Amino acid sequence: MDDAKETARENAMDTFTAFILENEPAIRLGVFFGVFAVMIAWEVAAPRLRLALPRSRRWPANIGIVVLNTLLVRLIFPVLPVGVAAWAAGEGYGLFNWLDVPAWLAALLSVLILDCAIYAQHVVFHKVPVLWRLHRMHHADQAIDVTTGARFHPIEIVMSIVIKMAVVTAIGAPAAAVVVFEVLLNGTAMFNHANVRLPTWLDKALRLVIVTPDMHRVHHSWLRQETDSNYGFNLTWWDRLFGTYIAQPSAGHDGMTIGLQIFRDAGEQRLDRMLTQPFR
Ligand SMILES: [Zn+2]
């Protein structure tokens, strides 16, 4: 009986893995454009705040940097984290390739560990001055909306991929779990940066598990103690566990200033200015 159940579970997991890996590009693009479109529609229908700078001043560079990062990653990486996961599995490297745990459990734990690792990486990028120089470009946006969620300096993007490859190899994350994690992160980052209004009860309920736009907006306050809080992108648990959770901005959402105390000139929202911000 138990054996039959176990076999059925393994078959379901194999089907799931095959589906994810065979349709990887479609899943990635579908979620990216799907969530992006839904968030824009939601931002227009029910905006949370009046944007301090209009979209026309921010979107060209915010979208430009996504295109630039995508091209750069394709150019310099012969293999990406999902490829590293497949390689590690073939070579038998990493925790879950040594341990005899069911595939579904290895996948679930891998997504959790990767989320915790991304949280830790985010904290480090705030605390180490030279890394903060790279990451602060993300925070220099003077308004936050769906496009802010993908606005990262190319050097930070490259470093993130290398770090993720190291974590994937160390834990022996299944390739499908890496895809699921990356797609989830992409979707939730666009959601929690979006300038959308959620009913208070829904925000409260979601926050028990996932990061909401109101929660993440605190992280984009120009007050340093608030910038250094709410580091999570998917799960809210790491911030609560490690004491970096701040429920609301001290000045209120309508009164808070978004961005940094430096780079206040509107010209800083130009792509060339953004790229040089780490070096100034
Ligand atoms: Zn940050």
Side-chain angles (χ1 to χ4, degrees):
M1 183 62 192
D2 269 3
D3 275 0
K5 240 190 221 165
E6 187 57 39
T7 312
R9 208 178 277 148
E10 272 170 25
N11 288 341
M13 195 61 205
D14 286 347
T15 311
F16 175 73
T17 298
F19 175 81
I20 298 281
L21 296 180
E22 279 161 25
N23 299 290
E24 191 199 329
I27 294 170
R28 282 183 194 273
L29 284 175
V31 169
F32 175 71
F33 286 109
V35 175
F36 191 62
V38 167
M39 286 304 141
I40 291 173
W42 192 351
E43 286 183 346
V44 171
R48 179 70 168 91
L49 300 176
R50 221 182 71 85
L51 298 179
L53 277 179
R55 293 189 181 92
S56 58
R57 293 298 294 272
R58 301 171 38 254
W59 278 32
N62 284 6
I63 292 171
I65 205 149
V66 175
V67 174
L68 184 75
N69 286 338
T70 308
L71 294 173
L72 187 74
V73 166
R74 283 185 183 268
L75 263 168
I76 65 173
F77 287 101
V79 54
L80 290 169
V82 58
V84 168
W87 164 80
E91 298 286 327
Y93 294 151
L95 190 66
F96 293 124
N97 293 317
W98 297 330
L99 299 177
D100 188 24
V101 290
W104 66 268
L105 187 59
L108 185 69
L109 290 175
S110 294
V111 171
L112 282 175
I113 294 169
L114 281 165
D115 197 47
C116 186
I118 289 285
Y119 165 88
Q121 181 194 326
H122 193 178
V123 174
V124 170
F125 269 75
H126 273 242
K127 301 292 177 192
V128 178
V130 63
L131 298 176
W132 169 247
R133 280 179 163 265
L134 296 171
H135 181 63
R136 70 186 181 184
M137 193 221 84
H138 171 70
H139 285 268
D141 203 347
Q142 288 173 38
I144 41 171
D145 65 17
V146 59
T147 63
T148 315
R151 169 191 155 126
F152 291 94
H153 198 278
I155 303 175
E156 180 174 2
I157 292 283
V158 169
M159 291 181 73
S160 298
I161 291 177
V162 173
I163 293 167
K164 205 189 295 164
M165 284 174 171
V167 176
V168 162
T169 309
I171 66 173
V178 175
V179 178
V180 167
F181 174 72
E182 290 186 330
V183 168
L184 263 177
L185 186 66
N186 184 238
T188 53
M190 286 191 283
F191 167 68
N192 62 44
H193 284 89
N195 182 35
V196 294
R197 185 177 293 277
L198 262 70
T200 312
W201 64 266
L202 183 59
D203 180 273
K204 236 179 161 177
L206 283 176
R207 263 185 207 221
L208 296 174
V209 183
I210 69 158
V211 177
T212 63
D214 273 13
M215 176 175 164
H216 193 70
R217 194 172 303 105
V218 179
H219 183 75
H220 284 265
S221 159
W222 77 343
L223 302 175
R224 190 70 205 220
Q225 70 271 27
E226 292 181 351
T227 318
D228 291 346
S229 74
N230 299 4
Y231 294 100
F233 284 112
N234 280 316
L235 296 167
T236 58
W237 306 338
W238 318 119
D239 281 300
R240 296 176 194 275
L241 195 63
F242 298 112
T244 52
Y245 177 68
I246 294 182
Q248 305 294 343
S250 56
H253 290 279
D254 292 297
M256 72 186 290
T257 303
I258 305 233
L260 300 171
Q261 316 228 353
I262 52 169
F263 305 138
R264 298 306 297 176
D265 189 88
E268 291 294 344
Q269 305 305 323
R270 252 173 39 206
L271 186 57
D272 59 325
R273 303 286 295 163
M274 277 160 52
L275 290 172
T276 60
Q277 279 170 4
F279 314 105
R280 282 188 271 134

